[in-house]
Amino acid sequence: MTVFNHTAVSHTVFQLLGIPGLEDQHMWISIPFFISYVIALLGNSLLICIILTKRSLHEPMYLFLCMLARADVVLSTCTVPQALAIFWFHAGEISLDRCITQFFIMHCTFISESGILLVMAFDRYIAICYPLRYTTILTQALIGKIGVTVFLRSFCTLFPIIFLLKRLTFCQNNTIPHTFCEHIGLAKYAGNDIRVNIWYGFSILMLTVVLDVVLIFVSYVLILHAVFHIPSQDAHHKALNTCGSHTCVIILFYGPGIFTILTQRFGRHIPPHTHILLANVCMLAPPILNPIIYGIKTKQIRVQVVHVLFTKQKSLWFKT
């Protein structure tokens, strides 16, 4: 009878605890979270508006950057508002369906962003190795199809996880020591065998993010091979400079994730709240810094940002 009661009860509501061990610091931790979220929203929204409204920026590189900025907005919005609700109002209660939805959108966006970075590496390869055919290869129609393909890849690979989670009976603890929902973080509270979930999650990681990293590496090997066969030093510098922003964004996107995996694997004595903070850094750092990096490193965007901001300020000053 005890076993029957244990297996029959399945939690449909969970409690996100935020950052366990730092509950008394939640209000202070919320300040950098809030500031980072505002910066991410403003920076990426400005980038999207400038690229969409300026016809001179309707080139493949900037259209892919616009996709990246949209993904950054979604990624930060999936996680930060929930964390702020926990920090400010202790509103950590979340239903199973909402938890699965948050996980699905967050990871779908993360995989899409990884795919966009791969496409941007391919874009730089075409621009440097086939400059005369650049606009004829990467037409706006092809860019649109690439964007749809990147989204469908992440959607289709993650969609089965919904059913893998819904089949589980969550008969164990319903408190989640985190600021957002994760696949295995949620599945481990089930009384069922979750080996299918673990292996499917691992296969998704290998077939999407890890494969993207390998292909990005191959793209840059081919780019460097082509660059060092250019006789002119000025051409060397110009070609490498065009890849500078993308390289910084790649390191920023994959770096925290790799560091987090290493700390989880080897940092057994690291406090749990450190792992949770690192997980949040993975979700927050790219949306904050991507528009700053491209704003500083890309002259065309830098000029347009200055024009938009300072022209409006001058017009308002003259009106007053």
Side-chain angles (χ1 to χ4, degrees), residues 18-31:
I19 305 176
L22 297 177
E23 288 88 353
D24 56 336
Q25 303 294 323
H26 273 181
M27 190 58 68
W28 292 107
I29 295 171
S30 70
I31 296 172

Side-chain angles (χ1 to χ4, degrees), residues 17-286:
L17 300 181
I19 305 176
L22 297 177
E23 288 88 353
D24 56 336
Q25 303 294 323
H26 273 181
M27 190 58 68
W28 292 107
I29 295 171
S30 70
I31 296 172
F33 269 68
F34 178 72
I35 294 172
S36 300
Y37 182 54
V38 171
I39 293 171
L41 280 184
L42 292 177
N44 286 289
S45 298
L46 180 62
L47 203 59
I48 292 167
C49 289
I50 287 174
I51 293 172
L52 293 180
T53 55
K54 303 296 179 181
R55 292 190 62 84
S56 59
L57 297 180
H58 288 184
E59 297 179 8
M61 172 184 169
Y62 302 112
L63 293 175
F64 290 134
L65 178 56
C66 186
M67 293 181 195
L68 189 70
R70 288 175 178 175
D72 281 336
V73 170
V74 176
L75 192 63
S76 57
T77 302
C78 280
T79 54
V80 181
Q82 176 70 59
L84 292 176
I86 297 169
F87 297 153
W88 289 343
F89 310 113
H90 306 287
E93 188 173 283
I94 186 169
S95 66
L96 175 61
D97 290 338
R98 191 168 146 229
C99 195
I100 293 174
T101 301
Q102 184 193 41
F103 148 78
F104 181 80
I105 295 174
M106 180 178 65
H107 284 76
C108 189
T109 307
F110 188 86
I111 293 174
S112 294
E113 192 158 341
S114 178
I116 293 167
L117 290 175
L118 171 60
V119 172
M120 292 175 80
F122 174 71
D123 165 76
R124 292 299 84 205
Y125 170 73
I126 298 295
I128 291 171
C129 298
Y130 304 98
L132 299 178
R133 298 173 56 195
Y134 178 61
T135 53
T136 56
I137 293 174
L138 291 174
T139 61
Q140 289 196 3
L142 180 60
I143 292 169
K145 292 175 183 176
I146 289 172
V148 172
T149 303
V150 167
F151 170 74
L152 287 177
R153 181 189 72 153
S154 59
F155 183 88
C156 293
T157 52
L158 283 169
F159 191 69
I161 290 183
I162 296 175
F163 301 100
L164 290 176
L165 284 172
K166 293 289 282 186
R167 74 183 175 88
L168 299 177
T169 303
F170 298 97
C171 54
Q172 298 185 31
N173 194 1
N174 70 331
T175 56
I176 302 174
H178 216 302
T179 56
F180 53 81
C181 296
E182 293 182 309
H183 174 211
I184 301 303
L186 180 62
K188 70 181 181 181
Y189 292 115
N192 316 66
D193 186 354
I194 62 168
R195 281 180 295 181
V196 175
N197 295 68
I198 293 171
W199 282 108
Y200 188 75
F202 178 75
S203 64
I204 287 176
L205 182 67
M206 295 301 295
L207 293 173
T208 56
V209 177
V210 174
L211 181 61
D212 290 345
V213 171
V214 172
L215 293 176
I216 288 170
F217 177 76
V218 171
S219 297
Y220 270 90
V221 169
L222 295 174
I223 288 170
L224 290 174
H225 181 265
V227 166
F228 289 120
H229 279 76
I230 300 173
S232 171
Q233 289 296 322
D234 290 336
H236 274 189
H237 178 73
K238 186 176 179 182
L240 291 174
N241 190 51
T242 60
C243 300
S245 302
H246 185 240
T247 306
C248 291
V249 170
I250 288 170
I251 294 170
L252 182 65
F253 182 77
Y254 294 111
I258 294 170
F259 184 72
T260 301
I261 292 170
L262 291 175
T263 55
Q264 288 177 344
R265 177 66 181 85
F266 300 106
R268 297 184 180 180
H269 301 293
I270 296 175
H273 64 257
T274 303
H275 294 298
I276 296 171
L277 286 170
L278 283 172
N280 280 279
V281 168
C282 290
M283 297 298 167
L284 264 176

